[in-house]
Amino acid sequence: MLYQSFLIKYAEIGTKGKNRFLFEDALVSHICHALKRVDGKFDVTKDAGRIYVAALTEYDYEDVVEALKRVFGIAWICPMFQTEEREFEALKKQVIHYLDQVYPDKHLTFKVVSRRADKRYPVPSEQMNRDLGEAVLDAYPEMSVNVHEPDVLLRVEVRNTVVNIYSEMIPGPGGMPVGTNGKALLLLSGGIDSPVAGYMVAKRGVKIDAVYFHAPPYTSERAKQKVVDLAKLVSRYSGPIDLHVVNFTEIQMAIYETCPHEELTIIMRRYMMRIAERIAGETGSLALVTGESIGQVASQTVQSLAATNDVCTLPVFRPVIAFDKQEIVDISERIGTYETSILPYEDCCTIFVAKHPVTKPVLKAIRKSEAKLSGTIGELVEKAVSTRDVIRCV
Ligand code: ATP
Ligand code: MG
């Protein structure tokens, strides 16, 4: 194996100052968790604003990089050589050895950027740059210096006990470690948009639970399994997701039998929100998340969104609200949910949709229609909430 360790640089720290250690500890724990999925043993440590992943056994480089690319909070993944040889002549040899190992073809331009994090180190960084550069040119005459656009930007960092040598920087996903920003409940359907919405909110450090409204026998077990699969795919980034599966059939039937059909979708969506709020309240989520996007369908016009939102008391995060469909598709392809999302299983909304749903619902009319449900709906909502299944998706 070429690299024994990785230097992890983290992205923006939302909790600077006194709380920074919480952010770092969360990141370390998520990195450990992500690496459990790959072969090999690793030691993950933090030291003065840096996080290190050291391989204790053989490992697969691609697998480790892929796993780290899914850990929110990581800005850069830098495979590196770390040496305890701090004596300058020995360090030169290490740098030459590094280039030899990492760049078999030496027809490259380079620049050395040194940093003395340990100010007691006797060689100032400017001099390190010059002397290390000279040593490289002596060892590899094919290489040449280019300070503006080098092929290889060789970084040499002198720390208290070790020196880090690296030149490759692989972009991480950015964002913040999951769990550093509270918890939210994602309304997860089998579509393209809601998994992307969950991914985006988790990326900001929010832990995610999910709720799926299932309408058997109108929606099949396969449709439910698809949602479980999507939750598992999102959990590769967000960490474990508790998926609450709510049986929505009786509520849908009651709405279908009692309310004007062109209002079905809006009323149904209002009940989804109400039930989601109940579950959020019971499980400690402080916000809801949906995959709604303005104008995508009749239930997502601004008027419809307002009518749906009317029943909500929690903040509703709609991260893809202003995205075009293609932009959402691009993200879902990148995060690996697209192929599952497009499997053609029915979702509970399509079965009960009217031919001509209202696109500009009038709140007063919606409330009036809902009032007709008042005799039975309270009990049905209680039953739906209390009989839900919870599936842990990892
Ligand atoms: P998606 O691609 O996420 O399914 P969509 O474009 O199909 O979205 P709708 O079906 O109108 O849009 O749903 C809008 C949002 O409502 C979804 O993004 C999701 O957050 C939520 N939602 C819809 N149906 C369900 C369901 N059966 N269970 C849970 N949430 C749902
Ligand atoms: Mg949908």
Side-chain angles (χ1 to χ4, degrees):
M1 80 194 166
L2 187 53
Y3 300 101
Q4 319 95 307
S5 52
F6 295 82
L7 168 63
I8 305 296
K9 297 190 179 184
Y10 43 67
E12 89 195 71
I13 300 182
T15 47
K16 280 207 184 74
K18 281 206 306 286
N19 288 331
R20 175 162 153 171
F21 77 96
L22 291 175
F23 178 99
E24 291 172 337
D25 290 350
L27 191 51
V28 166
S29 127
H30 291 308
I31 291 172
C32 290
H33 187 79
L35 291 174
K36 281 198 188 122
R37 290 170 183 250
V38 302
D39 288 337
K41 277 207 177 339
F42 304 89
D43 194 20
V44 184
T45 50
K46 61 172 187 172
D47 171 46
R50 289 291 159 89
I51 290 176
Y52 296 107
V53 174
L56 305 175
T57 58
E58 289 284 322
Y59 68 93
D60 185 280
Y61 176 80
E62 299 298 331
D63 287 354
V64 167
V65 170
E66 275 315 302
L68 293 173
K69 274 183 171 174
R70 294 201 196 107
V71 179
F72 293 137
I74 294 182
W76 298 100
I77 303 156
C78 314
M80 64 168 187
F81 280 20
Q82 192 170 62
T83 171
E84 289 174 4
E85 290 281 3
R86 295 196 343 152
E87 192 275 311
F88 197 47
E89 287 309 310
L91 180 57
K92 283 183 189 170
K93 290 206 179 90
Q94 290 289 336
V95 165
I96 287 164
H97 174 64
Y98 171 89
L99 289 172
D100 191 39
Q101 297 289 303
V102 178
Y103 300 101
D105 180 359
K106 304 286 183 301
H107 291 89
L108 295 165
T109 61
F110 77 101
K111 174 185 178 178
V112 181
V113 177
S114 307
R115 240 188 94 208
R116 250 187 341 155
D118 177 3
K119 297 291 180 226
R120 295 167 310 176
Y121 195 71
V123 189
S125 44
E126 279 305 314
Q127 193 188 332
M128 281 176 72
N129 292 345
R130 270 197 314 273
D131 291 0
L132 290 173
E134 259 174 39
V136 171
L137 289 171
D138 283 348
Y140 306 119
E142 318 88 292
M143 294 189 80
S144 58
V145 174
N146 179 343
V147 290
H148 301 295
E149 272 186 77
D151 300 323
V152 178
L153 187 65
L154 183 70
R155 294 174 196 270
V156 179
E157 288 184 356
V158 181
R159 322 259 332 157
N160 283 341
T161 53
V162 292
V163 182
N164 298 332
I165 303 167
Y166 61 96
S167 55
E168 287 178 74
M169 292 181 62
I170 302 158
M176 305 216 218
V178 171
T180 54
N181 254 326
K183 185 159 88 164
L185 181 64
L186 167 68
L187 282 84
L188 181 62
S189 68
I192 294 169
D193 308 324
S194 44
V196 170
Y199 165 88
M200 290 176 74
V201 169
K203 185 175 171 194
R204 298 303 302 162
V206 180
K207 180 163 170 42
I208 296 285
D209 278 348
V211 55
Y212 167 58
F213 296 94
H214 184 41
Y218 303 101
T219 58
S220 64
E221 274 302 305
R222 284 198 312 179
K224 177 173 129 187
Q225 186 56 44
K226 174 179 163 183
V227 176
V228 171
D229 292 344
L230 284 170
K232 285 184 180 167
L233 290 171
V234 175
S235 82
R236 295 184 305 171
Y237 301 89
S238 67
I241 294 179
D242 279 345
L243 174 66
H244 299 257
V245 180
V246 172
N247 186 326
F248 203 51
T249 312
E250 288 184 325
I251 293 173
Q252 266 191 323
M253 292 307 291
I255 299 170
Y256 189 75
E257 281 158 14
T258 319
C259 302
H261 285 188
E262 65 275 14
E263 292 174 358
L264 286 182
T265 310
I266 295 292
I267 295 176
M268 196 178 74
R269 297 198 48 71
R270 284 161 61 95
Y271 278 98
M272 284 186 183
M273 292 306 212
R274 289 180 173 111
I275 292 173
E277 285 214 346
R278 285 281 305 275
I279 295 172
E282 286 181 22
T283 54
S285 280
L286 300 176
L288 303 181
V289 183
T290 75
E292 289 161 313
S293 164
I294 298 172
Q296 216 185 68
V297 286
S299 60
Q300 295 176 24
T301 62
V302 171
Q303 293 87 344
S304 298
L305 288 165
T308 304
N309 206 72
D310 172 59
V311 301
C312 300
T313 61
L314 292 178
V316 182
F317 300 150
R318 298 177 171 93
V320 300
I321 193 73
F323 283 20
D324 291 351
K325 191 74 189 185
Q326 189 57 47
E327 292 172 308
I328 305 171
V329 166
D330 290 346
I331 299 176
S332 76
E333 284 180 333
R334 184 161 55 76
I335 68 174
T337 52
Y338 183 72
E339 292 300 324
T340 305
S341 287
I342 58 172
L343 294 173
Y345 307 141
E346 72 291 347
D347 82 43
C348 69
C349 311
T350 50
I351 286 167
F352 292 94
V353 283
K355 276 214 184 67
H356 302 290
V358 280
T359 53
K360 295 191 175 83
V362 178
L363 206 45
K364 240 168 126 180
I366 299 283
R367 287 187 185 147
K368 203 168 148 197
S369 306
E370 269 183 9
K372 290 189 231 149
L373 292 161
S374 63
T376 51
I377 197 85
E379 215 176 288
L380 295 180
V381 167
E382 284 311 316
K383 188 172 161 195
V385 171
S386 64
T387 61
R388 69 184 189 269
D389 277 338
V390 185
I391 301 171
R392 196 168 179 76
C393 301
V394 274

Coordinates of all heavy atoms in Angstrom, one line a residue, residues 128-205:
M128 N 13.1 26.2 3.7 CA 12.7 24.8 3.4 C 12.3 24.7 2.0 O 12.6 23.7 1.3 CB 11.6 24.4 4.4 CG 12.1 24.0 5.8 SD 10.6 23.6 6.8 CE 10.1 22.1 6.2
N129 N 11.4 25.6 1.6 CA 11.0 25.6 0.2 C 12.1 25.5 -0.8 O 12.1 24.7 -1.7 CB 10.1 26.8 -0.2 CG 8.8 26.8 0.6 OD1 8.4 25.8 1.1 ND2 8.1 28.0 0.7
R130 N 13.1 26.5 -0.6 CA 14.2 26.5 -1.5 C 15.1 25.3 -1.5 O 15.3 24.7 -2.5 CB 15.1 27.7 -1.1 CG 14.7 29.0 -1.8 CD 15.9 30.1 -1.7 NE 16.4 30.1 -0.4 CZ 16.0 31.0 0.6 NH1 14.9 31.7 0.4 NH2 16.5 31.0 1.8
D131 N 15.4 24.9 -0.3 CA 16.4 23.7 -0.1 C 15.7 22.4 -0.6 O 16.4 21.6 -1.2 CB 16.9 23.6 1.3 CG 17.8 24.8 1.6 OD1 18.0 25.7 0.7 OD2 18.3 24.9 2.8
L132 N 14.4 22.3 -0.2 CA 13.8 21.0 -0.6 C 13.6 21.0 -2.2 O 13.8 20.0 -2.8 CB 12.4 20.9 0.0 CG 12.4 20.6 1.5 CD1 11.0 20.6 2.1 CD2 13.1 19.2 1.8
G133 N 13.3 22.2 -2.7 CA 13.2 22.3 -4.2 C 14.5 21.9 -4.9 O 14.5 21.2 -5.9
E134 N 15.6 22.4 -4.3 CA 16.9 22.1 -4.9 C 17.2 20.6 -4.8 O 17.7 20.0 -5.8 CB 18.0 22.8 -4.1 CG 18.5 24.1 -4.9 CD 19.4 24.9 -4.0 OE1 20.3 24.3 -3.3 OE2 19.3 26.1 -4.0
A135 N 16.9 20.0 -3.7 CA 17.1 18.6 -3.5 C 16.3 17.8 -4.5 O 16.8 16.8 -5.1 CB 16.7 18.2 -2.1
V136 N 15.1 18.2 -4.8 CA 14.2 17.5 -5.8 C 14.9 17.6 -7.1 O 15.0 16.7 -7.9 CB 12.8 18.1 -5.7 CG1 12.0 17.5 -6.9 CG2 12.1 17.8 -4.4
L137 N 15.3 18.9 -7.5 CA 15.9 19.1 -8.8 C 17.2 18.2 -9.0 O 17.5 17.7 -10.1 CB 16.2 20.6 -9.0 CG 15.0 21.4 -9.2 CD1 15.3 22.9 -9.2 CD2 14.2 21.1 -10.5
D138 N 18.0 18.1 -7.9 CA 19.2 17.3 -8.0 C 18.8 15.9 -8.2 O 19.5 15.2 -9.0 CB 20.0 17.5 -6.7 CG 20.7 18.8 -6.6 OD1 20.8 19.5 -7.7 OD2 21.2 19.1 -5.5
A139 N 17.8 15.4 -7.5 CA 17.4 14.0 -7.6 C 16.8 13.7 -8.9 O 17.0 12.6 -9.5 CB 16.5 13.6 -6.4
Y140 N 15.9 14.6 -9.4 CA 15.1 14.3 -10.6 C 15.3 15.5 -11.6 O 14.5 16.4 -11.6 CB 13.7 14.1 -10.2 CG 13.4 13.1 -9.2 CD1 12.8 13.4 -8.0 CD2 13.8 11.8 -9.4 CE1 12.6 12.5 -7.0 CE2 13.6 10.8 -8.4 CZ 13.1 11.2 -7.2 OH 12.9 10.2 -6.2
P141 N 16.3 15.4 -12.4 CA 16.6 16.5 -13.4 C 15.4 16.7 -14.3 O 15.3 17.8 -14.9 CB 17.8 16.1 -14.1 CG 18.5 15.0 -13.3 CD 17.4 14.4 -12.5
E142 N 14.6 15.7 -14.5 CA 13.4 15.9 -15.5 C 12.4 16.8 -14.9 O 11.6 17.4 -15.6 CB 12.7 14.6 -15.7 CG 13.5 13.3 -15.9 CD 13.8 12.6 -14.6 OE1 14.6 13.2 -13.8 OE2 13.3 11.5 -14.4
M143 N 12.4 17.0 -13.6 CA 11.4 17.9 -13.0 C 11.8 19.3 -13.1 O 13.0 19.6 -13.1 CB 11.1 17.5 -11.5 CG 10.5 16.1 -11.4 SD 9.9 15.7 -9.7 CE 8.4 16.5 -9.6
S144 N 10.9 20.2 -13.1 CA 11.2 21.6 -13.1 C 10.2 22.4 -12.3 O 9.1 21.9 -12.0 CB 11.2 22.2 -14.6 OG 9.9 22.0 -15.1
V145 N 10.7 23.6 -11.9 CA 9.9 24.4 -10.9 C 8.9 25.2 -11.7 O 9.2 25.8 -12.8 CB 10.8 25.3 -10.1 CG1 9.9 26.2 -9.2 CG2 11.7 24.4 -9.2
N146 N 7.7 25.3 -11.3 CA 6.7 26.3 -11.8 C 5.9 26.8 -10.6 O 5.1 26.0 -10.0 CB 5.8 25.6 -12.8 CG 4.7 26.5 -13.4 OD1 4.5 27.6 -12.8 ND2 4.1 26.2 -14.5
V147 N 6.1 28.0 -10.2 CA 5.5 28.5 -9.0 C 4.1 28.9 -9.2 O 3.3 29.1 -8.2 CB 6.3 29.6 -8.3 CG1 7.6 29.2 -7.7 CG2 6.5 30.8 -9.3
H148 N 3.7 29.1 -10.5 CA 2.3 29.6 -10.7 C 1.3 28.5 -10.9 O 0.2 28.4 -10.3 CB 2.3 30.5 -11.9 CG 3.2 31.7 -11.7 ND1 2.9 32.6 -10.7 CD2 4.3 32.1 -12.3 CE1 3.9 33.5 -10.7 NE2 4.7 33.2 -11.7
E149 N 1.6 27.5 -11.8 CA 0.7 26.4 -12.0 C 1.4 25.1 -12.1 O 1.5 24.5 -13.1 CB 0.0 26.6 -13.4 CG -1.3 27.4 -13.3 CD -2.0 27.5 -14.6 OE1 -2.7 26.5 -15.0 OE2 -1.9 28.5 -15.3
P150 N 1.9 24.7 -10.9 CA 2.7 23.4 -10.9 C 1.8 22.2 -11.1 O 0.6 22.2 -10.7 CB 3.3 23.4 -9.5 CG 2.4 24.3 -8.7 CD 1.8 25.3 -9.6
D151 N 2.3 21.2 -11.7 CA 1.6 19.9 -11.8 C 1.5 19.3 -10.4 O 0.5 18.7 -10.0 CB 2.3 18.9 -12.7 CG 2.5 19.4 -14.1 OD1 1.5 20.0 -14.6 OD2 3.5 19.2 -14.7
V152 N 2.6 19.5 -9.6 CA 2.6 18.9 -8.3 C 2.9 20.0 -7.3 O 3.9 20.6 -7.3 CB 3.8 17.8 -8.2 CG1 3.8 17.3 -6.8 CG2 3.6 16.7 -9.2
L153 N 1.9 20.2 -6.4 CA 2.1 21.2 -5.3 C 2.4 20.3 -4.1 O 1.5 19.7 -3.5 CB 0.8 22.0 -5.1 CG 0.9 23.1 -4.1 CD1 1.8 24.2 -4.6 CD2 -0.5 23.7 -3.9
L154 N 3.7 20.3 -3.8 CA 4.2 19.4 -2.7 C 4.1 20.2 -1.4 O 4.8 21.2 -1.2 CB 5.6 19.0 -3.1 CG 6.2 18.0 -2.1 CD1 5.6 16.7 -2.3 CD2 7.7 17.9 -2.4
R155 N 3.3 19.6 -0.5 CA 3.2 20.3 0.8 C 4.0 19.5 1.9 O 3.9 18.3 2.0 CB 1.7 20.4 1.2 CG 0.9 21.3 0.3 CD -0.5 21.2 0.6 NE -1.3 21.8 -0.5 CZ -1.7 23.0 -0.6 NH1 -1.3 23.9 0.3 NH2 -2.4 23.4 -1.6
V156 N 4.7 20.3 2.6 CA 5.5 19.7 3.7 C 5.2 20.4 5.0 O 5.5 21.6 5.1 CB 7.1 19.8 3.4 CG1 7.9 19.2 4.5 CG2 7.4 19.1 2.0
E157 N 4.6 19.7 5.9 CA 4.2 20.4 7.1 C 4.9 19.8 8.3 O 4.8 18.6 8.6 CB 2.7 20.1 7.4 CG 1.8 20.8 6.5 CD 0.3 20.5 6.9 OE1 0.1 19.7 7.9 OE2 -0.6 21.1 6.3
V158 N 5.7 20.7 9.0 CA 6.4 20.2 10.2 C 5.6 20.4 11.4 O 5.2 21.5 11.7 CB 7.8 21.0 10.3 CG1 8.5 20.5 11.5 CG2 8.6 20.9 9.1
R159 N 5.1 19.3 12.0 CA 4.3 19.4 13.2 C 5.2 19.1 14.4 O 6.4 18.8 14.3 CB 3.1 18.4 13.1 CG 2.5 18.3 11.8 CD 1.3 19.1 11.5 NE 0.3 19.4 12.5 CZ -0.5 20.4 12.4 NH1 -0.5 21.2 11.3 NH2 -1.4 20.6 13.3
N160 N 4.6 19.0 15.6 CA 5.4 18.8 16.8 C 6.3 17.5 16.8 O 7.4 17.6 17.2 CB 4.5 18.8 18.0 CG 4.1 20.2 18.3 OD1 4.8 21.2 17.9 ND2 3.1 20.4 19.1
T161 N 5.7 16.4 16.4 CA 6.5 15.2 16.4 C 6.7 14.6 15.1 O 7.5 13.6 14.9 CB 5.8 14.2 17.3 OG1 4.4 14.0 16.9 CG2 5.8 14.6 18.8
V162 N 5.9 15.0 14.1 CA 6.0 14.4 12.8 C 6.1 15.4 11.7 O 5.8 16.6 11.9 CB 4.7 13.5 12.5 CG1 4.7 12.3 13.4 CG2 3.5 14.3 12.6
V163 N 6.4 14.9 10.5 CA 6.3 15.8 9.3 C 5.3 15.1 8.3 O 5.4 13.9 8.1 CB 7.6 16.0 8.6 CG1 7.5 16.9 7.4 CG2 8.7 16.5 9.6
N164 N 4.4 15.9 7.8 CA 3.4 15.4 6.8 C 3.9 15.8 5.4 O 4.2 17.0 5.2 CB 2.0 16.0 7.0 CG 1.4 15.6 8.4 OD1 1.8 14.6 8.9 ND2 0.6 16.5 8.9
I165 N 3.9 14.9 4.5 CA 4.3 15.2 3.1 C 3.1 14.7 2.2 O 2.7 13.5 2.3 CB 5.5 14.4 2.7 CG1 6.7 14.7 3.7 CG2 5.9 14.7 1.3 CD1 7.9 13.8 3.5
Y166 N 2.5 15.6 1.5 CA 1.4 15.3 0.6 C 1.3 16.2 -0.6 O 1.8 17.4 -0.5 CB 0.1 15.2 1.4 CG -0.4 16.5 2.0 CD1 -1.3 17.3 1.3 CD2 0.1 16.8 3.2 CE1 -1.7 18.4 1.9 CE2 -0.3 18.0 3.8 CZ -1.2 18.8 3.2 OH -1.7 20.0 3.7
S167 N 0.7 15.8 -1.6 CA 0.5 16.6 -2.8 C -0.9 16.4 -3.4 O -1.4 17.3 -4.1 CB 1.6 16.4 -3.8 OG 1.5 15.0 -4.2
E168 N -1.5 15.3 -3.1 CA -2.8 15.1 -3.6 C -3.9 15.5 -2.7 O -3.8 15.3 -1.5 CB -3.0 13.6 -3.9 CG -2.2 13.2 -5.1 CD -2.4 11.7 -5.4 OE1 -3.4 11.3 -5.9 OE2 -1.4 10.9 -5.1
M169 N -4.9 16.2 -3.2 CA -6.0 16.7 -2.3 C -7.3 16.3 -3.0 O -7.7 16.8 -4.1 CB -6.0 18.2 -2.1 CG -4.8 18.6 -1.2 SD -4.7 20.3 -0.9 CE -6.2 20.7 0.0
I170 N -8.0 15.3 -2.5 CA -9.2 14.8 -3.1 C -10.4 15.5 -2.4 O -10.5 15.5 -1.1 CB -9.4 13.3 -2.8 CG1 -8.1 12.6 -3.4 CG2 -10.7 12.7 -3.4 CD1 -7.8 11.2 -2.8
P171 N -11.3 16.2 -3.1 CA -12.4 16.9 -2.5 C -13.3 16.0 -1.7 O -13.7 14.9 -2.2 CB -13.1 17.6 -3.6 CG -12.6 17.1 -4.9 CD -11.3 16.3 -4.6
G172 N -13.6 16.4 -0.5 CA -14.6 15.6 0.3 C -16.0 16.2 0.0 O -16.1 17.1 -0.9
P173 N -17.0 15.8 0.7 CA -18.4 16.3 0.4 C -18.7 17.7 1.0 O -19.7 18.2 0.6 CB -19.3 15.2 1.0 CG -18.5 14.7 2.2 CD -17.1 14.8 1.8
G174 N -17.8 18.2 1.9 CA -18.2 19.5 2.5 C -19.3 19.3 3.6 O -19.5 18.1 4.0
G175 N -19.9 20.3 3.9 CA -21.0 20.3 4.9 C -20.5 20.2 6.3 O -19.3 20.5 6.6
M176 N -21.3 19.7 7.2 CA -21.0 19.6 8.6 C -21.3 18.2 9.1 O -22.2 17.5 8.6 CB -21.9 20.5 9.4 CG -21.8 21.9 8.9 SD -21.8 23.0 10.2 CE -22.8 24.3 9.5
P177 N -20.6 17.7 10.1 CA -20.8 16.3 10.6 C -22.3 16.2 11.1 O -22.8 17.0 11.8 CB -19.9 16.2 11.8 CG -18.9 17.3 11.6 CD -19.5 18.4 10.9
V178 N -22.9 15.1 10.7 CA -24.3 14.8 11.0 C -24.4 14.7 12.5 O -23.6 14.1 13.2 CB -24.7 13.5 10.4 CG1 -26.1 13.0 10.9 CG2 -24.7 13.6 8.9
G179 N -25.5 15.4 13.0 CA -25.7 15.3 14.5 C -25.3 16.6 15.2 O -25.6 16.8 16.3
T180 N -24.5 17.4 14.5 CA -24.1 18.7 15.1 C -25.1 19.8 14.9 O -24.9 20.9 15.4 CB -22.7 19.2 14.5 OG1 -22.8 19.3 13.1 CG2 -21.6 18.2 14.8
N181 N -26.2 19.5 14.3 CA -27.2 20.5 14.0 C -28.7 20.0 14.2 O -29.6 20.3 13.5 CB -27.1 21.0 12.6 CG -26.5 22.4 12.5 OD1 -26.8 23.2 13.4 ND2 -25.7 22.7 11.5
G182 N -28.9 19.1 15.3 CA -30.2 18.7 15.6 C -30.7 17.6 14.7 O -30.0 17.1 13.9
K183 N -32.0 17.4 14.8 CA -32.6 16.3 14.0 C -33.9 16.8 13.3 O -34.6 17.6 13.8 CB -33.0 15.2 15.0 CG -33.5 13.9 14.3 CD -33.4 12.7 15.2 CE -34.6 12.5 16.1 NZ -34.6 11.1 16.7
A184 N -34.2 16.2 12.1 CA -35.4 16.6 11.4 C -36.0 15.3 10.8 O -35.3 14.3 10.6 CB -35.0 17.5 10.2
L185 N -37.3 15.4 10.5 CA -38.0 14.2 10.0 C -38.3 14.4 8.5 O -38.9 15.4 8.1 CB -39.3 14.0 10.7 CG -40.2 12.9 10.3 CD1 -39.5 11.5 10.6 CD2 -41.5 12.9 11.1
L186 N -37.7 13.5 7.7 CA -37.9 13.6 6.2 C -39.1 12.9 5.8 O -39.3 11.7 6.1 CB -36.6 13.0 5.6 CG -36.6 12.7 4.1 CD1 -36.7 14.0 3.3 CD2 -35.4 11.8 3.7
L187 N -40.0 13.5 5.0 CA -41.1 12.8 4.3 C -40.5 12.1 3.1 O -40.2 12.8 2.1 CB -42.2 13.7 4.0 CG -43.1 14.1 5.2 CD1 -42.5 15.3 5.9 CD2 -44.5 14.5 4.7
L188 N -40.3 10.8 3.2 CA -39.6 10.1 2.2 C -40.5 9.3 1.3 O -41.2 8.3 1.8 CB -38.5 9.2 2.8 CG -37.6 8.4 1.9 CD1 -36.8 9.3 1.0 CD2 -36.7 7.4 2.7
S189 N -40.6 9.6 0.1 CA -41.5 8.8 -0.8 C -40.5 8.0 -1.7 O -39.3 8.0 -1.5 CB -42.3 9.8 -1.7 OG -41.4 10.5 -2.6
G190 N -41.0 7.3 -2.7 CA -40.2 6.5 -3.5 C -39.6 7.3 -4.7 O -39.1 6.8 -5.6
G191 N -39.8 8.7 -4.7 CA -39.5 9.5 -5.9 C -38.0 9.9 -5.9 O -37.2 9.4 -5.2
I192 N -37.8 10.8 -6.8 CA -36.4 11.3 -7.0 C -36.1 12.4 -6.0 O -34.9 12.5 -5.5 CB -36.2 11.8 -8.5 CG1 -36.4 10.7 -9.5 CG2 -34.9 12.5 -8.6 CD1 -36.5 11.2 -10.9
D193 N -37.1 13.2 -5.7 CA -36.8 14.4 -5.0 C -36.5 14.3 -3.5 O -35.6 14.9 -2.9 CB -37.9 15.4 -5.2 CG -38.3 15.6 -6.6 OD1 -37.4 15.5 -7.5 OD2 -39.5 15.7 -7.0
S194 N -37.3 13.5 -2.8 CA -37.2 13.5 -1.3 C -35.8 12.8 -0.9 O -35.3 13.3 0.1 CB -38.4 12.8 -0.7 OG -38.8 11.7 -1.3
P195 N -35.3 11.8 -1.5 CA -34.0 11.3 -1.1 C -32.9 12.4 -1.2 O -32.0 12.6 -0.3 CB -33.7 10.2 -2.0 CG -35.0 9.7 -2.5 CD -35.8 10.9 -2.6
V196 N -33.0 13.2 -2.3 CA -32.1 14.3 -2.5 C -32.2 15.4 -1.4 O -31.3 15.9 -0.8 CB -32.3 14.9 -3.9 CG1 -31.4 16.2 -4.0 CG2 -31.9 13.9 -5.0
A197 N -33.5 15.6 -1.0 CA -33.8 16.6 0.0 C -33.2 16.2 1.3 O -32.6 16.9 2.1 CB -35.3 16.8 0.2
G198 N -33.3 14.9 1.6 CA -32.8 14.3 2.9 C -31.2 14.4 2.9 O -30.6 14.8 3.9
Y199 N -30.6 14.1 1.8 CA -29.2 14.2 1.6 C -28.7 15.6 1.9 O -27.8 15.8 2.7 CB -28.8 13.7 0.2 CG -27.4 14.1 -0.2 CD1 -26.3 13.3 0.1 CD2 -27.1 15.3 -0.8 CE1 -25.0 13.6 -0.2 CE2 -25.8 15.7 -1.2 CZ -24.8 14.8 -0.9 OH -23.5 15.2 -1.2
M200 N -29.4 16.6 1.3 CA -29.0 18.0 1.4 C -29.1 18.5 2.9 O -28.2 19.2 3.3 CB -29.8 18.8 0.5 CG -29.5 18.6 -1.0 SD -30.5 19.5 -2.1 CE -29.8 21.2 -1.9
V201 N -30.2 18.1 3.5 CA -30.3 18.6 4.9 C -29.3 17.9 5.8 O -28.7 18.5 6.7 CB -31.8 18.4 5.4 CG1 -31.9 18.7 6.9 CG2 -32.7 19.4 4.7
A202 N -29.1 16.6 5.6 CA -28.1 15.9 6.4 C -26.7 16.5 6.2 O -25.9 16.6 7.1 CB -28.1 14.4 6.0
K203 N -26.5 16.9 5.0 CA -25.2 17.6 4.7 C -24.9 18.8 5.6 O -23.7 19.1 5.9 CB -25.1 17.9 3.2 CG -23.8 18.5 2.8 CD -23.8 18.7 1.3 CE -22.5 19.5 1.0 NZ -22.5 20.0 -0.3
R204 N -25.9 19.4 6.0 CA -25.7 20.6 6.9 C -25.6 20.1 8.4 O -25.7 21.0 9.3 CB -26.9 21.6 6.7 CG -27.0 22.2 5.4 CD -25.7 22.8 4.9 NE -25.3 23.9 5.8 CZ -24.1 24.4 5.9 NH1 -23.1 24.0 5.1 NH2 -23.8 25.4 6.7
G205 N -25.4 18.9 8.6 CA -25.2 18.4 10.0 C -26.4 18.0 10.7 O -26.4 17.7 11.9

